[in-house]
Amino acid sequence: MNIEKILSEMMLEEKASLCSGSDFWHTKALERFDIEPIMLSDGPHGLRKTNRNHCKTEANDETAIAVCFPAACATASSFDKTLLEKMGKAIGDECQAEDIAVILGPGVNIKRSPLCGRNFEYFSEDPYLASHQAAALIKGIQSKGVGTSIKHFACNNQETRRMAVSANVDERTLHEIYLSAFEYAIKETKPWTVMASYNRINGEYTTQSKYLLTDILRDKWGFKGLVMSDWGAVDEREKGVEAGLDLQMPSCHGKTDEIIVEAVKSGKLDEKYVDECVRNVLKLYDKYKTNHKGGQWDPKKDHELSRKIATECAVLLKNDGDILPLDNSKKICFIGAFAKTPRFQGGGSSHIECTEITSALDAVKEYCDVKFALGFEAESNDPDEKLISEAVELAKNSDVAVIFAGLPDSFEYEGGDRKHMRMPDCQCELIKRAAAVNKNIVVVLHNGSPMEMPWLDNAKGVLEMYLAGQASGGAVCDLLFGKVNPSGKLAETFPLCHEDTPAFIGEFGCGDNVYYNEGLYVGYRWYDKRKLPVLFPFGYGLSYTKFEYSDIKLSADEINADGELTVSVTVKNIGSRAGKEVVQLYVSDKHSSVDRPVRELKGYEKVALEAGESKKVFFKLDKSAFAYYSTDEHDWVVEDGRYDIEIGASSRDIRQSAYIFINNGYLPKVRFTINSIVGDILAHPAAAEVFVDFIKSEVAKEGGQVGIQSVDDFPADLMQVFSDMSVRTTLDFVSSKGITREKLIATLNRLNDIVNDEK
Ligand code: BGC
C-alpha cells in the first residue's frame, strides 16, 4: 500500500473524516482508494464483539459468543508469562475468525486504590508485573496477526468522574509508577495501538497531551503505531491532533471532522499534524490487510484452556492443618450462591457473551457428590435467616463445608468505584455461623479486588479464585481436590482494612481533582515503607507443597551502570507432591541520594518442580532494575553504589540476598545557588573548605575574626541550625561588607565547578 501516494491525493475533508470512527466499532471506508472499514472491539480477557454480523455501516446489538478467559486480576496472579502468551494466542485466533483488526486491551492501569471499580481488568499495584504480564498477552495476540490497544494511557486509576477528573501526580511518580506500567510493554512488544484515557493528568486531557502522546510515547519510547481515544474521551480534537491523537472513537457524526477542516483552513492547525494522523490510520489498515487471514477456532478447546489458566492463577491464602486438598471420600458440602452461579467476570465493556459457563456445582460431579445450600443471594447484603439456617444445618452434618463467597457483580463494574472494602454482611455472617458448627470451613473467593476478611479466623482454608473466567467452576474443583496444586501469588497487597490503604485520604478526589499524595508509595511500596502489618502481602501464596531456596549467586560483585548482571538461585521442592513456585527478585537501594521504596520487584520466574526436585532459576538484570526517574535529568538514571538483590517467596518472605556495586553511573549534578542551604555545601568537603575560606578571608580583610576556623569547629547543636540556613542569610548575619551578593554568587559558581569536576 502506497500510503504517501494516497495521502497526497486526499482532500482535507477526507483526511479529517478518516481519523474518526464510522460507527461505534469501525474506522471509515475511503472507497476511491479501496479502503474498507476495520473493526476495533473489546477486550481484554476475551472477545466482546457486540456487532456479530460484522455490519460495517451501523452497529447492531447481536453479540458474538466467545470464551471468557480469567480477567487480569486473576492472570496477574499466575506470574506466568508463557501462560499469558498462550491465552493471547487463543484470543488472537478468535479475533481472526471474527474479523477483528484490533482487540481493545490489555489494561495496565495501576491499582492505586483497592476500590477502583475496574481493578478486575487491571493487573497489579506493581508496574513491573503489570507491564510484563501485559507484554506476554500482547505478544500472544499479535503473533496471530491481530492488533492490541494497550489502555488506558494513563492514570485512569478510578472510575469516579473518570471523564472529568485530573490525576495530579508528580513527575517522578508519574514515570516510575504509572507510565512504567506501559513503558516496557510498549517498547518490547510494539502494540499496534495505544488507547488514551478519559481523564486529565495535571489538568490536561490525556487525549490532547503532547507531553504524553508525542514527547514520551513516540519520541522517548519510539512508539510507531496509532493512538486512539477511549470512547468519547475527546474534548478539543484539534488540540488532540496536534498532540498526537490519531483516531477519535467512536463516530463523531462528522462534527469534529468539520472542526479539524476549519482549524486547518483558518491556520490554527498545521495540516502536517492531520497528515501524520492519516498516515497512522492507513498504516493500521495496511497491517490489518496484511495480517487478516480469518480462520476457525474451537470453543471446547478454548474453554479447556480457560480452565487450565484459571487453575494457574488461583492463590491459596490459608491452609491450616492441610485442610486442602479435600479428600473426596469425606462428606463434603458446597454452600453459597457463587457455587451455583459463579462470579467470573466484571461488568462493562469487557463483559463477554460466553460459549458456556461451568459452575463448581456442575464440575464437582467429576470428583464426588456434594450437598448444596444457597446460604445467601448473590446481590443481597442483609442476612436471610432461612437461607443461613439451612446452610448451617448442612455444614453441621458434613465433614467439610466449602463456602463460595466474594463480591457481587454490582460491586465491580466499569463506571463506578466501590464505596467500602467490605463483603456483604450476609456472607460474613454465614461464614461465622457455619464455623460455629463445623471447624472444617474452606472459603472460596470470587472477587476482582481485595476486601476485608473479618471472618478469616473462622476458616481453615481460603482459596482466592478472583474472576476466573467461564471455566471457573472446573478450575476450582481441580484445585480443591488436588488435581492441580495452587501456584498463584498475589499481584496486590490485601490490607487489613480500607483505612490502611495508600490513597485512603482524598482517595478519589474532591470535585475534578485527585491528588496522588502518596507518590511512589503505592501498594507494597506503601505498606513496607510504613512497616504496616497487612492481611496478605504482595507476592504471597501457598502451595500444597513447600519450597526451599539456597545458593544465590551473582555473576559479578561489581558492574558498570550499562552492564548486565545474572542472578541465580536454587529452588527445591521439599514436599511430597509436584508444584510450581513463583520466584521473585526484588532490588533494594538503601544508599540512594533520593528517597526510594524499601524494595521493588525487578524479576520473577515460575518454576515447576516434581517432589524432591531442585532447579536453578536465572534472572538477567540490566540498568532498568536499578534506575530511578530523575526530575533533574527528566530521565531514568542509575546511581553508583551498593544495591541489594533479594530473592523471595513473597515481598515479605525474603529467602536469599546478596549485593552488587554499580560503577560509572549517574552522579547527581550539584547546582548550589544563593538559596541553597549551607548544609548542602558543608556535605561536600572540598566545597565546604572553599566556602569557609571565603567567609574567613572577607571578615579578616576588615580586621575581624571568625571564631570558626573549619567546619569541624562547629558545636553540634549549632550545626543543625546553621546547616538549614540559606547561603543568602550570610549577607544578613555576617556583618562584613566584603560579603556581597555578587561575590557569594561567584563563590558558589566556583564551588559548582569544583564539586562537579570532582566526579
Ligand atoms: C472503556 C474502554 C473500552 C471502550 C470501548 C470505554 O468506555 O473505557 O476500555 O475499550 O469503552 O468499549
Side-chain angles (χ1 to χ4, degrees):
M1 180 174 184
N2 189 338
I3 291 175
E4 290 308 317
K5 183 162 183 297
I6 296 176
L7 185 62
S8 69
E9 290 170 20
M10 280 172 81
M11 317 277 287
L12 174 60
E13 287 73 9
E14 286 173 320
K15 292 179 187 174
S17 165
L18 188 70
C19 296
S20 65
S22 70
D23 61 20
F24 220 74
W25 302 114
H26 293 92
T27 57
K28 289 216 181 82
L30 202 56
E31 272 141 28
R32 73 188 184 96
F33 297 105
D34 285 337
I35 289 167
E36 299 163 52
I38 60 174
M39 187 166 190
L40 323 170
S41 208
D42 284 304
H45 43 263
L47 174 61
R48 172 183 173 252
K49 182 183 179 188
T50 64
N51 191 341
R52 183 179 189 172
N53 300 328
H54 198 52
C55 168
K56 293 190 176 182
T57 46
E58 63 187 90
N60 64 47
D61 289 336
E62 257 189 89
T63 305
I65 52 168
V67 168
C68 177
F69 290 93
C73 57
T75 55
S77 315
S78 73
F79 278 70
D80 188 339
K81 291 162 259 187
T82 317
L83 191 74
L84 270 272
E85 199 171 329
K86 219 180 252 175
M87 172 170 145
K89 284 182 177 161
I91 293 175
D93 282 339
E94 295 190 24
C95 289
Q96 273 290 355
E98 288 288 347
D99 199 4
I100 301 297
V102 174
I103 181 161
L104 304 173
V108 296
N109 297 94
I110 291 293
K111 301 184 187 199
R112 176 175 175 259
S113 156
L115 300 192
C116 171
R118 266 184 116 169
N119 274 354
F120 70 89
E121 275 186 77
Y122 302 146
F123 290 101
S124 181
E125 65 190 20
D126 180 80
Y128 181 92
L129 179 61
S131 209
H132 281 71
Q133 293 295 90
L137 187 68
I138 293 171
K139 246 186 229 164
I141 296 172
Q142 295 198 164
S143 73
K144 295 292 181 174
V146 174
T148 55
S149 195
I150 190 167
K151 65 189 186 183
H152 307 89
F153 192 55
C155 291
N156 184 178
N157 308 106
Q158 65 186 62
E159 292 300 283
T160 306
R161 302 170 84 101
R162 64 176 169 161
M163 299 192 185
V165 75
S166 173
N168 299 315
V169 54
D170 68 85
E171 185 187 354
R172 183 171 166 211
T173 302
L174 177 66
H175 284 266
E176 275 188 37
I177 303 292
Y178 296 97
L179 296 184
S180 104
F182 289 88
E183 184 173 352
Y184 169 81
I186 289 175
K187 284 179 172 168
E188 180 67 18
T189 64
K190 304 180 178 42
W192 290 12
T193 77
V194 167
M195 186 190 289
S197 57
Y198 283 127
N199 54 288
R200 296 176 290 153
I201 297 180
N202 297 327
E204 186 170 46
Y205 275 111
T206 65
T207 49
Q208 51 202 51
S209 165
K210 175 177 171 292
Y211 178 62
L212 209 59
L213 305 185
T214 297
D215 300 352
I216 294 171
L217 182 62
R218 295 185 194 281
D219 295 349
K220 261 209 170 134
W221 298 353
F223 177 70
K224 300 262 185 292
L226 171 138
V227 177
M228 70 177 80
S229 69
D230 198 346
W231 268 229
V234 175
D235 175 29
E236 296 174 84
R237 184 166 157 213
E238 65 284 16
K239 287 191 182 158
V241 165
E242 191 166 338
L245 177 76
D246 301 310
L247 178 66
Q248 172 176 12
M249 283 305 290
S251 165
C252 65
H253 311 289
K255 289 174 229 168
T256 62
D257 299 343
E258 280 170 21
I259 292 175
I260 295 299
V261 171
E262 205 36 57
V264 172
K265 284 191 175 154
S266 68
K268 246 176 79 188
L269 177 67
D270 191 325
E271 195 169 346
K272 72 177 186 194
Y273 294 112
V274 185
D275 287 353
E276 197 49 31
C277 298
V278 173
R279 266 187 207 103
N280 288 329
V281 173
L282 292 177
K283 273 198 273 177
L284 178 67
Y285 177 74
D286 195 34
K287 270 191 193 152
Y288 160 77
K289 273 309 236 191
T290 321
N291 288 287
H292 179 61
K293 321 183 252 305
Q296 303 275 318
W297 62 283
D298 179 349
K300 275 280 167 228
K301 203 169 129 226
D302 284 3
H303 179 78
E304 281 316 308
L305 177 64
S306 178
R307 175 172 181 164
K308 180 178 176 329
I309 293 171
T311 61
E312 300 282 327
C313 300
V315 186
L316 182 61
L317 295 177
K318 189 171 177 187
N319 197 18
D320 285 0
D322 290 337
I323 187 164
L324 293 174
L326 298 173
D327 173 351
N328 62 359
S329 65
K330 293 261 167 68
K331 254 202 296 174
I332 297 166
C333 69
F334 279 9
I335 294 172
F338 299 137
K340 196 168 168 206
T341 317
R343 172 132 198 274
F344 62 89
Q345 64 174 332
S349 60
S350 67
H351 200 273
I352 290 162
E353 276 306 306
C354 303
T355 55
E356 61 181 293
I357 298 165
T358 320
S359 71
L361 219 40
D362 290 336
V364 73
K365 294 179 191 134
E366 294 173 33
Y367 291 94
C368 61
D369 288 329
V370 299
K371 291 220 162 71
F372 172 70
L374 192 62
F376 62 88
E377 298 283 0
E379 287 293 342
S380 316
N381 180 59
D382 295 338
D384 178 322
E385 192 46 46
K386 183 168 167 292
L387 293 181
I388 292 194
S389 307
E390 282 166 10
V392 169
E393 192 55 27
L394 179 60
K396 199 165 151 189
N397 296 313
S398 307
D399 296 326
V400 182
V402 185
I403 302 180
F404 290 75
L407 299 176
D409 268 330
S410 59
F411 277 38
E412 293 173 302
Y413 56 90
E414 177 180 339
D417 296 314
R418 271 191 296 162
K419 304 282 175 281
H420 56 75
M421 253 184 75
R422 297 188 299 277
M423 284 164 63
D425 292 348
C426 54
Q427 297 188 30
C428 298
E429 174 79 6
L430 169 69
I431 298 168
K432 283 187 184 160
R433 298 257 302 267
V437 297
N438 187 335
K439 292 285 157 255
N440 294 325
I441 300 290
V442 173
V443 176
V444 174
L445 292 171
H446 300 73
N447 47 292
S449 224
M451 57 257 186
E452 294 162 1
M453 300 184 194
W455 45 262
L456 190 58
D457 288 345
N458 301 110
K460 275 194 181 165
V462 181
L463 181 64
E464 173 58 84
M465 289 301 291
Y466 279 110
L467 302 182
Q470 67 180 53
S472 153
V476 83
C477 291
D478 294 344
L479 292 157
L480 287 174
F481 292 95
K483 182 174 174 197
V484 181
N485 191 346
S487 62
K489 301 267 187 168
L490 291 179
E492 60 195 328
T493 310
F494 274 55
L496 288 172
C497 60
H498 181 205
E499 289 77 4
D500 281 356
T501 59
F504 179 73
I505 295 175
E507 192 154 39
F508 297 133
C510 180
D512 288 344
N513 281 292
V514 57
Y515 295 92
Y516 287 22
N517 290 329
E518 69 286 352
L520 302 172
Y521 297 99
V522 179
Y524 65 90
R525 289 167 171 78
W526 167 262
Y527 302 103
D528 287 353
K529 196 75 167 182
R530 300 203 58 212
K531 295 193 170 74
L532 287 175
V534 297
L535 204 53
F536 301 108
F538 176 86
Y540 169 86
L542 303 172
S543 161
Y544 296 154
T545 185
K546 291 214 163 12
F547 302 97
E548 193 179 76
Y549 289 62
S550 63
D551 209 20
I552 186 170
K553 283 212 172 66
L554 308 187
S555 57
D557 300 333
E558 288 185 12
I559 53 166
N560 284 336
D562 281 328
E564 209 180 58
L565 176 73
T566 304
V567 180
S568 65
V569 67
T570 302
V571 184
K572 182 171 184 192
N573 180 348
I574 54 168
S576 54
R577 60 165 73 216
K580 290 182 182 171
E581 173 68 327
V582 175
V583 185
Q584 300 156 47
L585 184 149
Y586 296 87
V587 173
S588 171
D589 179 2
K590 301 188 179 73
H591 312 279
S592 178
S593 69
V594 297
D595 195 33
R596 296 199 72 171
V598 176
R599 62 178 57 86
E600 296 180 281
L601 184 76
K602 295 295 170 187
Y604 60 91
E605 289 299 332
K606 195 167 198 174
V607 51
L609 293 163
E610 295 298 328
E613 192 187 4
S614 53
K615 275 186 191 159
K616 238 185 192 173
V617 182
F618 293 90
F619 298 92
K620 280 208 181 319
L621 303 183
D622 63 17
K623 67 176 174 198
S624 64
F626 307 101
Y628 70 86
Y629 188 89
S630 155
T631 48
D632 287 334
E633 305 299 326
H634 306 293
D635 209 346
W636 293 92
V637 299
V638 179
E639 281 185 0
D640 281 0
R642 172 185 157 149
Y643 293 80
D644 290 356
I645 312 289
E646 302 177 330
I647 301 287
S650 90
S651 61
R652 291 204 170 172
D653 184 7
I654 302 300
R655 304 283 187 90
Q656 293 270 294
S657 65
Y659 56 87
I660 173 91
F661 284 96
I662 296 197
N663 302 317
N664 300 326
Y666 169 78
L667 287 170
K669 273 238 168 340
V670 174
R671 290 182 195 90
F672 296 128
T673 71
I674 193 102
N675 290 315
S676 297
I677 59 162
V678 173
D680 284 349
I681 295 178
L682 301 185
H684 290 270
E689 200 182 316
V690 176
F691 183 67
V692 171
D693 277 355
F694 164 69
I695 305 280
K696 265 170 34 189
S697 69
E698 289 302 332
V699 173
K701 275 185 206 161
E702 290 171 27
Q705 247 201 11
V706 187
I708 307 297
Q709 295 306 313
S710 91
V711 179
D712 302 333
D713 295 344
F714 268 92
D717 53 343
L718 269 186
M719 188 61 167
Q720 187 60 55
V721 181
F722 185 52
S723 290
D724 282 336
M725 279 171 25
S726 74
V727 173
R728 174 176 33 81
T729 50
T730 39
L731 294 171
D732 310 320
F733 295 170
V734 184
S735 61
S736 165
K737 294 235 168 10
I739 302 180
T740 62
R741 191 176 174 96
E742 291 67 32
K743 279 195 195 164
L744 258 186
I745 292 174
T747 309
L748 291 168
N749 289 341
R750 267 178 60 215
L751 299 190
N752 286 335
D753 291 344
I754 292 170
V755 172
N756 290 319
D757 279 357
E758 260 188 356
K759 291 176 188 168

